[in-house]
PDB file of all heavy atoms in Angstrom:
ATOM      1  N   GLY A 179     -10.536  30.455  75.364  1.00  0.00           N
ATOM      2  CA  GLY A 179     -10.265  31.595  76.238  1.00  0.00           C
ATOM      3  C   GLY A 179     -11.307  32.693  76.145  1.00  0.00           C
ATOM      4  O   GLY A 179     -11.454  33.497  77.074  1.00  0.00           O
ATOM      5  N   HIS A 180     -12.037  32.717  75.055  1.00  0.00           N
ATOM      6  CA  HIS A 180     -12.993  33.801  74.787  1.00  0.00           C
ATOM      7  C   HIS A 180     -13.946  34.096  75.954  1.00  0.00           C
ATOM      8  O   HIS A 180     -14.051  35.228  76.410  1.00  0.00           O
ATOM      9  CB  HIS A 180     -13.759  33.460  73.502  1.00  0.00           C
ATOM     10  CG  HIS A 180     -14.798  34.440  73.095  1.00  0.00           C
ATOM     11  ND1 HIS A 180     -15.875  34.082  72.329  1.00  0.00           N
ATOM     12  CD2 HIS A 180     -14.971  35.741  73.370  1.00  0.00           C
ATOM     13  CE1 HIS A 180     -16.632  35.141  72.123  1.00  0.00           C
ATOM     14  NE2 HIS A 180     -16.099  36.149  72.759  1.00  0.00           N
ATOM     15  N   PRO A 181     -14.630  33.063  76.516  1.00  0.00           N
ATOM     16  CA  PRO A 181     -15.568  33.388  77.606  1.00  0.00           C
ATOM     17  C   PRO A 181     -14.870  33.732  78.917  1.00  0.00           C
ATOM     18  O   PRO A 181     -15.523  34.165  79.867  1.00  0.00           O
ATOM     19  CB  PRO A 181     -16.388  32.092  77.752  1.00  0.00           C
ATOM     20  CG  PRO A 181     -15.563  31.019  77.156  1.00  0.00           C
ATOM     21  CD  PRO A 181     -14.685  31.657  76.125  1.00  0.00           C
ATOM     22  N   LEU A 182     -13.543  33.556  78.984  1.00  0.00           N
ATOM     23  CA  LEU A 182     -12.814  33.760  80.242  1.00  0.00           C
ATOM     24  C   LEU A 182     -12.053  35.069  80.271  1.00  0.00           C
ATOM     25  O   LEU A 182     -11.506  35.454  81.305  1.00  0.00           O
ATOM     26  CB  LEU A 182     -11.827  32.598  80.462  1.00  0.00           C
ATOM     27  CG  LEU A 182     -12.414  31.186  80.362  1.00  0.00           C
ATOM     28  CD1 LEU A 182     -11.331  30.144  80.569  1.00  0.00           C
ATOM     29  CD2 LEU A 182     -13.532  31.009  81.387  1.00  0.00           C
ATOM     30  N   GLU A 183     -12.012  35.767  79.127  1.00  0.00           N
ATOM     31  CA  GLU A 183     -11.131  36.934  78.993  1.00  0.00           C
ATOM     32  C   GLU A 183     -11.383  37.991  80.068  1.00  0.00           C
ATOM     33  O   GLU A 183     -10.452  38.617  80.557  1.00  0.00           O
ATOM     34  CB  GLU A 183     -11.287  37.546  77.593  1.00  0.00           C
ATOM     35  CG  GLU A 183     -10.317  38.698  77.341  1.00  0.00           C
ATOM     36  CD  GLU A 183     -10.503  39.333  75.973  1.00  0.00           C
ATOM     37  OE1 GLU A 183     -11.450  38.975  75.237  1.00  0.00           O
ATOM     38  OE2 GLU A 183      -9.678  40.203  75.627  1.00  0.00           O
ATOM     39  N   ASN A 184     -12.640  38.173  80.416  1.00  0.00           N
ATOM     40  CA  ASN A 184     -12.940  39.241  81.382  1.00  0.00           C
ATOM     41  C   ASN A 184     -13.229  38.736  82.798  1.00  0.00           C
ATOM     42  O   ASN A 184     -13.784  39.450  83.612  1.00  0.00           O
ATOM     43  CB  ASN A 184     -14.112  40.090  80.866  1.00  0.00           C
ATOM     44  CG  ASN A 184     -13.721  40.810  79.571  1.00  0.00           C
ATOM     45  OD1 ASN A 184     -12.650  41.407  79.487  1.00  0.00           O
ATOM     46  ND2 ASN A 184     -14.567  40.690  78.555  1.00  0.00           N
ATOM     47  N   LEU A 185     -12.835  37.485  83.074  1.00  0.00           N
ATOM     48  CA  LEU A 185     -13.053  36.900  84.396  1.00  0.00           C
ATOM     49  C   LEU A 185     -11.718  36.690  85.102  1.00  0.00           C
ATOM     50  O   LEU A 185     -10.732  36.285  84.469  1.00  0.00           O
ATOM     51  CB  LEU A 185     -13.755  35.545  84.276  1.00  0.00           C
ATOM     52  CG  LEU A 185     -15.113  35.497  83.587  1.00  0.00           C
ATOM     53  CD1 LEU A 185     -15.653  34.068  83.567  1.00  0.00           C
ATOM     54  CD2 LEU A 185     -16.116  36.443  84.249  1.00  0.00           C
ATOM     55  N   ASN A 186     -11.687  36.947  86.435  1.00  0.00           N
ATOM     56  CA  ASN A 186     -10.486  36.557  87.165  1.00  0.00           C
ATOM     57  C   ASN A 186     -10.609  35.102  87.594  1.00  0.00           C
ATOM     58  O   ASN A 186     -11.652  34.461  87.384  1.00  0.00           O
ATOM     59  CB  ASN A 186     -10.223  37.522  88.333  1.00  0.00           C
ATOM     60  CG  ASN A 186     -11.303  37.439  89.398  1.00  0.00           C
ATOM     61  OD1 ASN A 186     -11.897  36.390  89.623  1.00  0.00           O
ATOM     62  ND2 ASN A 186     -11.569  38.571  90.043  1.00  0.00           N
ATOM     63  N   LEU A 187      -9.562  34.574  88.200  1.00  0.00           N
ATOM     64  CA  LEU A 187      -9.532  33.146  88.507  1.00  0.00           C
ATOM     65  C   LEU A 187     -10.672  32.735  89.451  1.00  0.00           C
ATOM     66  O   LEU A 187     -11.296  31.672  89.250  1.00  0.00           O
ATOM     67  CB  LEU A 187      -8.163  32.788  89.106  1.00  0.00           C
ATOM     68  CG  LEU A 187      -7.873  31.314  89.321  1.00  0.00           C
ATOM     69  CD1 LEU A 187      -8.064  30.506  88.042  1.00  0.00           C
ATOM     70  CD2 LEU A 187      -6.439  31.151  89.847  1.00  0.00           C
ATOM     71  N   ALA A 188     -10.938  33.569  90.450  1.00  0.00           N
ATOM     72  CA  ALA A 188     -12.025  33.248  91.409  1.00  0.00           C
ATOM     73  C   ALA A 188     -13.357  33.186  90.658  1.00  0.00           C
ATOM     74  O   ALA A 188     -14.177  32.293  90.897  1.00  0.00           O
ATOM     75  CB  ALA A 188     -12.070  34.294  92.515  1.00  0.00           C
ATOM     76  N   GLN A 189     -13.563  34.108  89.742  1.00  0.00           N
ATOM     77  CA  GLN A 189     -14.832  34.108  88.976  1.00  0.00           C
ATOM     78  C   GLN A 189     -14.894  32.894  88.036  1.00  0.00           C
ATOM     79  O   GLN A 189     -15.970  32.320  87.831  1.00  0.00           O
ATOM     80  CB  GLN A 189     -14.936  35.413  88.166  1.00  0.00           C
ATOM     81  CG  GLN A 189     -15.123  36.635  89.044  1.00  0.00           C
ATOM     82  CD  GLN A 189     -14.952  37.950  88.270  1.00  0.00           C
ATOM     83  OE1 GLN A 189     -14.073  38.057  87.412  1.00  0.00           O
ATOM     84  NE2 GLN A 189     -15.773  38.929  88.588  1.00  0.00           N
ATOM     85  N   ILE A 190     -13.765  32.528  87.448  1.00  0.00           N
ATOM     86  CA  ILE A 190     -13.741  31.339  86.566  1.00  0.00           C
ATOM     87  C   ILE A 190     -14.108  30.097  87.370  1.00  0.00           C
ATOM     88  O   ILE A 190     -14.930  29.273  86.947  1.00  0.00           O
ATOM     89  CB  ILE A 190     -12.348  31.175  85.930  1.00  0.00           C
ATOM     90  CG1 ILE A 190     -12.079  32.312  84.930  1.00  0.00           C
ATOM     91  CG2 ILE A 190     -12.234  29.812  85.233  1.00  0.00           C
ATOM     92  CD1 ILE A 190     -10.657  32.330  84.382  1.00  0.00           C
ATOM     93  N   ARG A 191     -13.526  29.972  88.591  1.00  0.00           N
ATOM     94  CA  ARG A 191     -13.807  28.791  89.423  1.00  0.00           C
ATOM     95  C   ARG A 191     -15.252  28.806  89.927  1.00  0.00           C
ATOM     96  O   ARG A 191     -15.876  27.733  90.037  1.00  0.00           O
ATOM     97  CB  ARG A 191     -12.800  28.727  90.570  1.00  0.00           C
ATOM     98  CG  ARG A 191     -11.433  28.261  90.060  1.00  0.00           C
ATOM     99  CD  ARG A 191     -10.384  28.291  91.143  1.00  0.00           C
ATOM    100  NE  ARG A 191      -9.172  27.592  90.681  1.00  0.00           N
ATOM    101  CZ  ARG A 191      -7.966  27.803  91.170  1.00  0.00           C
ATOM    102  NH1 ARG A 191      -7.781  28.677  92.149  1.00  0.00           N
ATOM    103  NH2 ARG A 191      -6.920  27.151  90.703  1.00  0.00           N
ATOM    104  N   ALA A 193     -17.728  29.975  88.309  1.00  0.00           N
ATOM    105  CA  ALA A 193     -18.607  29.667  87.158  1.00  0.00           C
ATOM    106  C   ALA A 193     -18.429  28.242  86.648  1.00  0.00           C
ATOM    107  O   ALA A 193     -19.385  27.627  86.159  1.00  0.00           O
ATOM    108  CB  ALA A 193     -18.337  30.669  86.034  1.00  0.00           C
ATOM    109  N   HIS A 194     -17.209  27.709  86.737  1.00  0.00           N
ATOM    110  CA  HIS A 194     -16.930  26.434  86.051  1.00  0.00           C
ATOM    111  C   HIS A 194     -16.368  25.342  86.972  1.00  0.00           C
ATOM    112  O   HIS A 194     -16.011  24.274  86.501  1.00  0.00           O
ATOM    113  CB  HIS A 194     -15.922  26.671  84.921  1.00  0.00           C
ATOM    114  CG  HIS A 194     -16.410  27.618  83.868  1.00  0.00           C
ATOM    115  ND1 HIS A 194     -17.354  27.262  82.922  1.00  0.00           N
ATOM    116  CD2 HIS A 194     -16.110  28.924  83.635  1.00  0.00           C
ATOM    117  CE1 HIS A 194     -17.616  28.303  82.130  1.00  0.00           C
ATOM    118  NE2 HIS A 194     -16.878  29.330  82.554  1.00  0.00           N
ATOM    119  N   GLU A 391      -0.074  32.810  86.521  1.00  0.00           N
ATOM    120  CA  GLU A 391      -0.235  34.214  86.909  1.00  0.00           C
ATOM    121  C   GLU A 391       1.054  34.828  87.439  1.00  0.00           C
ATOM    122  O   GLU A 391       1.195  36.057  87.450  1.00  0.00           O
ATOM    123  CB  GLU A 391      -1.413  34.339  87.893  1.00  0.00           C
ATOM    124  CG  GLU A 391      -2.727  34.037  87.174  1.00  0.00           C
ATOM    125  CD  GLU A 391      -3.954  34.165  88.052  1.00  0.00           C
ATOM    126  OE1 GLU A 391      -3.829  34.592  89.219  1.00  0.00           O
ATOM    127  OE2 GLU A 391      -5.047  33.847  87.542  1.00  0.00           O
ATOM    128  N   TRP A 397      -1.672  40.670  79.083  1.00  0.00           N
ATOM    129  CA  TRP A 397      -2.242  41.801  78.307  1.00  0.00           C
ATOM    130  C   TRP A 397      -1.149  42.454  77.452  1.00  0.00           C
ATOM    131  O   TRP A 397      -1.445  42.988  76.383  1.00  0.00           O
ATOM    132  CB  TRP A 397      -2.857  42.833  79.238  1.00  0.00           C
ATOM    133  CG  TRP A 397      -3.914  42.257  80.123  1.00  0.00           C
ATOM    134  CD1 TRP A 397      -3.785  41.954  81.459  1.00  0.00           C
ATOM    135  CD2 TRP A 397      -5.231  41.847  79.757  1.00  0.00           C
ATOM    136  NE1 TRP A 397      -4.960  41.395  81.918  1.00  0.00           N
ATOM    137  CE2 TRP A 397      -5.860  41.327  80.906  1.00  0.00           C
ATOM    138  CE3 TRP A 397      -5.956  41.881  78.556  1.00  0.00           C
ATOM    139  CZ2 TRP A 397      -7.173  40.845  80.895  1.00  0.00           C
ATOM    140  CZ3 TRP A 397      -7.254  41.399  78.537  1.00  0.00           C
ATOM    141  CH2 TRP A 397      -7.844  40.887  79.695  1.00  0.00           C
ATOM    142  N   ALA A 424      -5.741  29.057  79.065  1.00  0.00           N
ATOM    143  CA  ALA A 424      -7.013  29.812  79.053  1.00  0.00           C
ATOM    144  C   ALA A 424      -7.511  30.155  80.462  1.00  0.00           C
ATOM    145  O   ALA A 424      -8.102  31.202  80.670  1.00  0.00           O
ATOM    146  CB  ALA A 424      -8.085  29.032  78.296  1.00  0.00           C
ATOM    147  N   ASN A 425      -7.280  29.242  81.411  1.00  0.00           N
ATOM    148  CA  ASN A 425      -7.882  29.388  82.747  1.00  0.00           C
ATOM    149  C   ASN A 425      -6.990  30.188  83.698  1.00  0.00           C
ATOM    150  O   ASN A 425      -6.309  29.621  84.555  1.00  0.00           O
ATOM    151  CB  ASN A 425      -8.160  28.008  83.343  1.00  0.00           C
ATOM    152  CG  ASN A 425      -9.430  27.393  82.779  1.00  0.00           C
ATOM    153  OD1 ASN A 425     -10.547  27.817  83.081  1.00  0.00           O
ATOM    154  ND2 ASN A 425      -9.256  26.378  81.926  1.00  0.00           N
ATOM    155  N   HIS A 426      -7.003  31.492  83.547  1.00  0.00           N
ATOM    156  CA  HIS A 426      -6.278  32.368  84.491  1.00  0.00           C
ATOM    157  C   HIS A 426      -6.920  33.756  84.413  1.00  0.00           C
ATOM    158  O   HIS A 426      -7.771  34.004  83.541  1.00  0.00           O
ATOM    159  CB  HIS A 426      -4.779  32.412  84.143  1.00  0.00           C
ATOM    160  CG  HIS A 426      -4.497  32.905  82.762  1.00  0.00           C
ATOM    161  ND1 HIS A 426      -4.425  34.241  82.447  1.00  0.00           N
ATOM    162  CD2 HIS A 426      -4.323  32.240  81.594  1.00  0.00           C
ATOM    163  CE1 HIS A 426      -4.179  34.376  81.150  1.00  0.00           C
ATOM    164  NE2 HIS A 426      -4.112  33.171  80.604  1.00  0.00           N
ATOM    165  N   SER A 427      -6.462  34.646  85.275  1.00  0.00           N
ATOM    166  CA  SER A 427      -7.136  35.953  85.404  1.00  0.00           C
ATOM    167  C   SER A 427      -6.829  36.928  84.258  1.00  0.00           C
ATOM    168  O   SER A 427      -7.443  37.987  84.175  1.00  0.00           O
ATOM    169  CB  SER A 427      -6.711  36.628  86.716  1.00  0.00           C
ATOM    170  OG  SER A 427      -7.027  35.786  87.807  1.00  0.00           O
ATOM    171  N   GLY A 428      -5.906  36.606  83.395  1.00  0.00           N
ATOM    172  CA  GLY A 428      -5.444  37.551  82.406  1.00  0.00           C
ATOM    173  C   GLY A 428      -6.152  37.439  81.066  1.00  0.00           C
ATOM    174  O   GLY A 428      -7.345  37.082  80.993  1.00  0.00           O
ATOM    175  N   ASP A 429      -5.435  37.722  79.995  1.00  0.00           N
ATOM    176  CA  ASP A 429      -5.976  37.801  78.639  1.00  0.00           C
ATOM    177  C   ASP A 429      -6.093  36.403  78.032  1.00  0.00           C
ATOM    178  O   ASP A 429      -5.308  36.006  77.149  1.00  0.00           O
ATOM    179  CB  ASP A 429      -5.070  38.697  77.781  1.00  0.00           C
ATOM    180  CG  ASP A 429      -5.728  39.083  76.467  1.00  0.00           C
ATOM    181  OD1 ASP A 429      -6.830  38.592  76.176  1.00  0.00           O
ATOM    182  OD2 ASP A 429      -5.119  39.868  75.721  1.00  0.00           O
ATOM    183  N   SER A 430      -7.090  35.660  78.523  1.00  0.00           N
ATOM    184  CA  SER A 430      -7.183  34.226  78.251  1.00  0.00           C
ATOM    185  C   SER A 430      -7.228  33.843  76.784  1.00  0.00           C
ATOM    186  O   SER A 430      -6.599  32.869  76.366  1.00  0.00           O
ATOM    187  CB  SER A 430      -8.440  33.666  78.927  1.00  0.00           C
ATOM    188  OG  SER A 430      -8.356  33.822  80.325  1.00  0.00           O
TER     189      SER A 430
END
Side-chain angles (χ1 to χ4, degrees):
H180 178 205
L182 308 179
E183 184 182 6
N184 296 313
L185 301 180
N186 65 32
L187 188 54
Q189 291 169 321
I190 292 172
R191 285 175 169 157
H194 299 285
E391 292 181 5
W397 303 104
N425 281 289
H426 59 84
S427 303
D429 193 355
S430 297

